[in-house]
Amino acid sequence: MMKPVELSVPMLKMISVMKEFTTGGESRALIQQALLHPDGFHFEANLQEQPLARVSLQGEEISFETHDGISGRLYPEFALDAYSLTTTARGNPADLPAVLAALKTAFSAADDVRVSAAGPTAEGADDETFIVDPQIFDTLAFEHQT
């Protein structure tokens, strides 16, 4: 028997998005995977190993990206990113109903739908790795210490 899980409002909304975009058996398996990542995860649709769409839960926010350049936030308040296209591929304004329809179409067309853990992004990464020529490493270390 499964242990009861306390779910946040964003997680409940994300689960409803997942149920809307997938079929019964697939939906249950993906939701079970998502519950393993309460801190955040990506719900991704791919076709022939090419990304079609991604809906992500990170903290209290649900964001989205589509292959045709529309991106933004679904929750807590719908908003397009500053760099997002503002119209769909059909020329309609990229409002909430149009975005949800585009996402549903992408997930329906996908041959690979998955859940993956949300890891640190390039902006949020704590550690950076640089490859340095060993001949100048000592000089860099000396300058850093002075």
Side-chain angles (χ1 to χ4, degrees):
M1 187 164 127
M2 288 188 66
K3 180 178 149 185
V5 178
E6 188 173 320
L7 301 176
S8 65
V9 172
M11 177 66 93
L12 288 172
K13 292 195 177 289
M14 187 68 171
I15 288 172
S16 71
V17 166
M18 294 172 73
K19 286 186 70 63
E20 180 71 25
F21 294 164
T22 56
T23 60
E26 180 185 45
S27 168
R28 280 189 293 280
L30 290 166
I31 289 169
Q32 287 176 345
Q33 290 176 25
L35 292 174
L36 298 174
H37 308 288
D39 296 331
F41 62 92
H42 303 296
F43 177 48
E44 302 167 321
N46 300 297
L47 180 62
Q48 298 177 353
E49 299 182 21
Q50 298 297 314
L52 290 179
R54 175 163 65 178
V55 181
S56 301
L57 172 66
Q58 193 75 23
E60 296 293 312
E61 185 173 292
I62 299 174
S63 59
F64 69 91
E65 299 173 30
T66 66
H67 72 288
D68 54 359
I70 301 172
S71 62
R73 185 179 62 235
L74 291 174
Y75 180 84
E77 181 179 306
F78 177 76
L80 295 176
D81 288 336
Y83 55 85
S84 173
L85 293 180
T86 56
T87 57
T88 66
R90 295 182 178 196
N92 299 325
D95 56 7
L96 181 58
V99 165
L100 291 174
L103 289 169
K104 187 170 186 169
T105 299
F107 278 89
S108 296
D111 61 10
D112 176 31
V113 176
R114 67 177 77 167
V115 168
S116 62
T121 62
E123 299 170 295
D126 294 330
D127 297 321
E128 294 181 350
T129 303
F130 296 95
I131 299 173
V132 178
D133 185 328
Q135 294 177 346
I136 63 168
F137 177 77
D138 291 333
T139 305
L140 289 173
F142 176 77
E143 289 179 8
H144 178 71
Q145 292 174 356
T146 58

